[in-house]
Amino acid sequence: MTVTSEQRFGEFVAVRAHAGLDHVAELVLDRPKAMNAVSTDMARSIAAACDALAADRDVRVTVLTSSHERAFCVGADLKERNSFSDADLVRQRPTARAAYTGVLELPMPTIAAVHGFALGGGFELALSCDLIVADPTALVGLPEVSVGVIPGGGGTQLLPRRVGAARAAELIFSARRVPGPEARELGLVDELVAEGEDRAEALALAGRIAANSPVGLRAAKRALRLGHGLDLRAGLEVEDSAWRSVAFSGDRAEGVAAFNEKRKANWPGE
């Protein structure tokens, strides 16, 4: 797939656009020598890239990918942390959190393309996305208790929302690594595709999603995220608020007109 533009955020993160994929951004984890282990510098770059994407109204879908052939992301850079004092770890914490919340709070739909190792913070980056496409080489898990910590990038909250409290407890307490086929059965990933096709399939899915109303996509994401976990009455109020934000938009008017005129919509994005 031809890259039409690339913006670098530090040494280890890039945002790319591709020919033929309008309104889709690829957020690339690009620290191959360390299997995308998230160092302080890399975390800072992920957060900066997410800030830029969140402000870009032309982007309707973001796909999170890896430049490494055998890993999506192996989690926190434990070699870096091995040299940390307690004070260093405290100072790093806001930077690390900003990387994960940056992905989690992107206003447009997000898709993770996962192959190889997606462990600890690496899996948490994927969990922060709305959808996860994986291939059979994927090996996912939250093994933090095996090194004396707990998931700190949202894992204890995001995993039970995917697979339920008991299943999440078993996975986190056991620290076990789950291969791609089982991960699909358990709901840890949403689609399992042919080996080596995770990125291509995720970008293709992003293209299909991006054909829809950008106003509608962002509002639907808000409703899904904010309504999750609420009681039904409260959830319906969240949905109503999101509906009102699009019901009188240019996108709604264009969508209705395009449907009646039997043509492709030309979304104004407002």
Side-chain angles (χ1 to χ4, degrees), residues 50 99-107 110 127-129 158 221 225:
C50 288
Y100 299 104
T101 57
V103 176
L104 183 65
E105 294 177 0
L106 283 170
T110 53
L127 289 171
S128 296
C129 295
L158 294 170
K221 178 164 179 170
R225 287 288 180 90

Side-chain angles (χ1 to χ4, degrees), residues 27-38:
L27 175 57
V28 187
L29 305 177
D30 189 26
R31 195 186 177 202
K33 291 182 179 180
M35 288 190 170
N36 291 327
V38 182

Side-chain angles (χ1 to χ4, degrees), residues 16-245:
R16 295 173 181 163
H18 298 276
L21 271 181
D22 294 339
H23 310 294
V24 174
E26 182 180 8
L27 175 57
V28 187
L29 305 177
D30 189 26
R31 195 186 177 202
K33 291 182 179 180
M35 288 190 170
N36 291 327
V38 182
S39 64
T40 303
D41 285 346
M42 187 173 178
R44 191 175 292 114
S45 295
I46 292 170
C50 288
D51 285 345
L53 286 166
D56 190 342
R57 298 295 299 187
D58 189 56
V59 177
R60 299 180 190 173
V61 187
T62 295
V63 180
L64 181 61
T65 70
S66 163
S67 65
H68 196 284
E69 293 182 355
R70 294 187 293 109
F72 174 72
C73 174
V74 294
D77 187 342
L78 297 185
K79 290 183 179 179
E80 179 188 59
R81 288 194 179 180
N82 191 47
S83 66
F84 277 8
S85 66
D86 288 351
D88 291 332
L89 191 58
V90 169
R91 280 191 293 270
Q92 190 213 35
R93 178 60 175 163
T95 302
R97 285 196 70 186
Y100 299 104
T101 57
V103 176
L104 183 65
E105 294 177 0
L106 283 170
M108 73 289 290
T110 53
I111 305 168
V114 174
H115 58 266
F117 299 110
L119 301 171
F123 189 40
E124 287 172 308
L125 286 171
L127 289 171
S128 296
C129 295
D130 300 298
L131 297 166
I132 302 174
V133 176
D135 81 356
T137 70
L139 192 66
V140 307
L142 298 175
E144 284 86 346
V145 297
S146 69
V147 293
V149 291
I150 69 167
T156 65
Q157 305 306 304
L158 294 170
L159 189 58
R161 284 167 167 77
R162 267 192 164 266
V163 299
R167 178 67 69 191
E170 183 267 319
L171 292 167
I172 291 171
F173 295 160
S174 69
R176 74 182 179 95
R177 303 177 179 195
V178 183
E182 184 186 359
R184 177 64 184 89
E185 290 178 8
L186 297 179
L188 297 172
V189 305
D190 301 299
E191 291 190 30
L192 192 70
V193 299
E195 184 171 338
E197 294 298 316
D198 55 289
R199 176 176 171 271
E201 291 291 340
L203 288 168
L205 174 58
R208 296 193 294 273
I209 293 171
N212 297 310
S213 158
V215 172
L217 288 172
R218 291 184 179 221
K221 178 164 179 170
R222 286 199 307 276
L224 285 164
R225 287 288 180 90
L226 295 177
H228 187 91
L230 300 179
D231 65 69
L232 180 58
R233 187 179 297 275
L236 289 173
E237 289 302 315
V238 168
E239 181 182 81
D240 184 67
S241 176
W243 179 86
R244 290 175 185 277
S245 74

